[in-house]
Amino acid sequence: MSFRKVVRQSKFRHVFGQPVKNDQCYEDIRVSRVTWDSTFCAVNPKFLAIIVEASGGGAFMVLPLSKTGRIDKSYPTVCGHTGPVLDIDWCPHNDEVIASGSEDCTVMVWQIPENGLVTPLTEPVVVLEGHSKRVGIVTWHPTARNVLLSAGCDNVVLIWNVGTAEELYRLADQHPDLIYNICWNRNGSLFCSACKDKSVRIIDPRRGTLVAEREKAHEGARPMRAIFLADGKVFTTGFSRMSERQLALWDPDNLEEPMALQELDSSNGALLPFYDPDTGVIYVCGKGDSSIRYFEITAEPPYIHFLNTFTSKEPQRGMGRMPKRGLEVSKCEIARFYKLHERKCEPIIMTVPRKSDLFQDDLYPDTAGPEAALEAEEWVSGRDAEPLLISLREAYVPSKQRDLKVSRKNVLDSRAAAASAPPRAGASTAAPPTAPVSSPGGSASSGGLAGAGASAGAGDSGKLEEVTRELRLLRTLVKEQGERIARLEEQLGRMENGDV
């Protein structure tokens, strides 16, 4: 007599969430009230960043993870934007570099001091200007160093080389309406997007081509989300025609019908999915909900398996998730979320109960590390690479971070090179060679403008070119300062003689 297996076997069936104690929360933080469906929070193993209310511009707060408890009202913020900040994202290859997009139509990249902020940070390392409307999405390339994607309410997607402050690709024709979100695939060769026209698109950014498209992925009018899974499948969240919240799994080779479709409930908050490629678990958080649902994605039908729900009393304004390398492996912690309330941030720890104190290999396969697999130039030339993996067996210890330094290409040199070189497929024809960095003294971190894009093993000719470029930039800055001093002295002389 054969017994049918009633309960599916899974090591994540008993995952449970637990909020930390009050003294380990971050209190008295005025979380932003801007009406935009982003997470408002970004976390890495060193810092917690939260978009906050700011008068006369936009700001976000960057706290060392250890700075728990009540945060003083005078605590310094990152406050260089002239409009509210809409999205922030930590660089996956440098734990001290963060990008921000704002209503002021700019993207700014910031270098956070190693021990956190002691004074307000107003000068970004680089300002990226190319959008004509507010910038609501910023996301770093998963494997190529210094490659950043931004998307704005002008329905344009721009891809930047932050190391040279230049626009690499401009994708202006793929989205006819507001872009809700964008997600790179595992090796960064493609990205998927969810749009207000109810379509999910898969796009090759270097060729500028539409690889696949599914119209009316979810028929409801409220915001959707689409993310890539590790095996290339696409997971979406959205609303049905009757405004019921849905989850769906799609095969990019056949987008006619979803592989799986589940209806959750009839709440009206947008569902934000967080995916763990190592374990295949997706955590779904609804804006305004007080719960986190988690599901396991498998290769066998029904593909999406509900695991459990973490429930609390307070609704969430936003949510951040710690990368795998920042978790405590000794406590079998498989995820840590940072839940934003109206006035505080509360960490929530997801744990798999295990009796043994030994390292759990099945819970912690090798995960993406902080080293970039490619330089920006290699990715532009057409190369792809999977993330460089690290083992968590020895409990990850962060390495010394190198500063982000911007090596600006000379305008004349780059134009001459562009005129002589054949056009690259999918590249923007109207890419501005530089983006101006505003600075009270006219200097754009002139202390060290060595090339971040240059690889460590470059030959003498590369070093010579780099030094020449730096010298040329410094001479330009000195000339500008000299002209400014002359103007001020002339004005001062006229004022002393009573001419003004």
Side-chain angles (χ1 to χ4, degrees):
M1 183 176 177
S2 62
F3 290 93
R4 188 167 61 89
K5 191 165 66 175
V6 177
V7 178
R8 188 182 67 89
Q9 291 297 314
S10 170
K11 53 180 169 278
F12 303 112
R13 266 183 60 215
H14 302 292
V15 171
F16 69 97
Q18 192 168 19
V20 300
K21 294 177 181 175
N22 276 339
D23 60 349
Q24 293 176 279
C25 293
Y26 305 83
E27 303 273 357
D28 214 13
I29 295 171
R30 294 182 303 151
V31 177
S32 174
R33 294 175 178 274
V34 69
T35 52
W36 185 255
D37 281 326
S38 79
T39 58
F40 291 169
C41 180
V43 198
N44 69 21
K46 291 185 74 171
F47 296 111
L48 165 67
I50 301 169
I51 302 174
V52 294
E53 286 283 285
S55 55
F60 59 95
M61 187 174 277
V62 175
L63 302 168
L65 290 184
S66 58
K67 188 165 179 61
T68 53
R70 185 180 173 277
I71 307 300
D72 195 274
K73 282 186 171 63
S74 62
Y75 192 84
T77 59
V78 180
C79 50
H81 284 287
T82 56
V85 177
L86 300 179
D87 196 19
I88 50 177
D89 192 30
W90 286 105
C91 177
H93 309 126
N94 189 332
D95 286 342
E96 294 164 10
V97 171
I98 188 169
S100 58
S102 165
E103 280 194 11
D104 64 11
C105 307
T106 65
V107 176
M108 295 185 180
V109 181
W110 310 84
Q111 177 92 36
I112 306 300
E114 188 175 352
N115 297 316
L117 297 176
V118 291
T119 58
L121 185 59
T122 58
E123 288 304 311
V125 180
V126 63
V127 180
L128 304 172
E129 295 180 313
H131 289 284
S132 59
K133 292 186 179 178
R134 60 183 184 167
V135 182
I137 298 167
V138 288
T139 178
W140 293 90
H141 193 283
T143 60
R145 192 188 316 279
N146 292 341
V147 175
L148 177 68
L149 179 149
S150 64
C153 294
D154 51 6
N155 309 335
V156 174
V157 177
L158 297 179
I159 296 175
W160 309 87
N161 181 348
V162 175
T164 58
E166 66 177 328
E167 182 184 299
L168 297 175
Y169 303 104
R170 174 179 287 265
L171 306 169
D173 304 323
Q174 280 78 3
H175 299 92
D177 212 331
L178 179 69
I179 303 167
Y180 286 136
N181 90 302
I182 285 179
C183 177
W184 293 98
N185 68 352
R186 181 82 163 150
N187 66 3
S189 59
L190 305 169
F191 67 77
C192 66
S193 66
C195 183
K196 194 175 181 180
D197 67 354
K198 303 181 186 177
S199 288
V200 170
R201 295 173 175 85
I202 298 173
I203 294 170
D204 184 331
R206 288 172 295 195
R207 292 188 174 88
T209 55
L210 186 64
V211 177
E213 180 179 7
R214 165 66 190 188
E215 296 178 0
K216 292 190 176 178
H218 296 275
E219 297 198 354
R222 292 197 175 116
M224 298 193 307
R225 286 285 187 281
I227 58 171
F228 261 117
L229 305 187
D231 61 358
K233 304 278 192 307
V234 174
F235 180 87
T236 61
T237 65
F239 292 81
S240 70
R241 192 180 297 170
M242 305 299 292
S243 292
E244 292 170 312
R245 297 199 290 192
Q246 295 178 323
L247 312 174
L249 185 66
W250 306 84
D251 183 350
D253 297 327
N254 178 20
L255 290 175
E256 291 300 313
E257 290 294 327
M259 296 170 61
L261 180 68
Q262 287 192 15
E263 293 192 345
L264 292 185
D265 54 31
S266 53
S267 296
N268 57 9
L271 289 169
L272 308 175
F274 295 89
Y275 173 59
D276 181 355
D278 304 328
T279 59
V281 176
I282 289 182
Y283 304 85
V284 178
C285 315
K287 272 260 178 130
D289 289 7
S290 55
S291 62
I292 303 173
R293 295 179 177 88
Y294 29 109
F295 302 82
E296 187 176 2
I297 309 296
T298 63
E300 310 85 33
Y303 304 112
I304 303 174
H305 304 273
F306 174 74
L307 291 173
N308 210 336
T309 303
F310 165 80
T311 307
S312 59
K313 294 177 183 176
E314 297 290 325
Q316 53 228 15
R317 296 278 299 277
M319 192 73 75
R321 188 187 64 165
M322 174 68 74
K324 209 67 176 288
R325 55 194 173 89
L327 303 180
E328 288 195 46
V329 296
S330 58
K331 295 182 179 177
C332 295
E333 182 183 4
I334 64 163
R336 190 189 312 157
F337 290 92
Y338 287 75
K339 174 182 172 180
L340 299 186
H341 299 242
E342 197 166 335
R343 300 282 298 188
K344 77 170 182 178
C345 175
E346 176 187 42
I348 297 167
I349 293 169
M350 299 287 181
T351 309
V352 177
R354 292 282 168 94
K355 291 180 180 177
S356 171
D357 291 334
L358 299 176
F359 179 76
Q360 307 293 321
D361 297 84
D362 58 332
L363 297 183
Y364 301 107
D366 288 356
T367 191
E371 287 301 314
L374 295 171
E375 297 296 331
E377 294 79 7
E378 294 177 299
W379 181 75
V380 170
S381 70
R383 282 189 58 190
D384 293 318
E386 296 295 316
L388 298 179
L389 304 182
I390 58 169
S391 170
L392 296 177
R393 179 175 288 277
E394 302 301 324
Y396 169 73
V397 178
S399 57
K400 174 75 175 161
Q401 302 292 336
R402 68 186 196 183
D403 288 352
L404 171 66
K405 294 173 184 174
V406 181
S407 172
R408 295 174 182 283
K409 293 191 175 180
N410 182 277
V411 179
L412 299 176
D413 290 352
S414 60
R415 282 180 183 165
S420 60
R424 187 173 63 243
S428 164
T429 56
T434 60
V437 176
S438 56
S439 172
S443 165
S445 60
S446 55
L449 287 156
S455 59
D460 291 342
S461 60
K463 290 180 181 176
L464 178 63
E465 185 181 339
E466 190 178 328
V467 172
T468 306
R469 198 162 52 227
E470 182 178 354
L471 185 60
R472 190 184 299 126
L473 178 62
L474 289 173
R475 280 174 178 159
T476 305
L477 293 171
V478 169
K479 183 181 176 184
E480 289 174 358
Q481 295 292 342
E483 291 171 352
R484 189 177 177 192
I485 290 169
R487 285 197 303 272
L488 290 171
E489 285 177 342
E490 184 182 345
Q491 185 180 352
L492 182 63
R494 287 201 304 270
M495 293 171 72
E496 287 174 345
N497 295 330
D499 295 344
V500 178

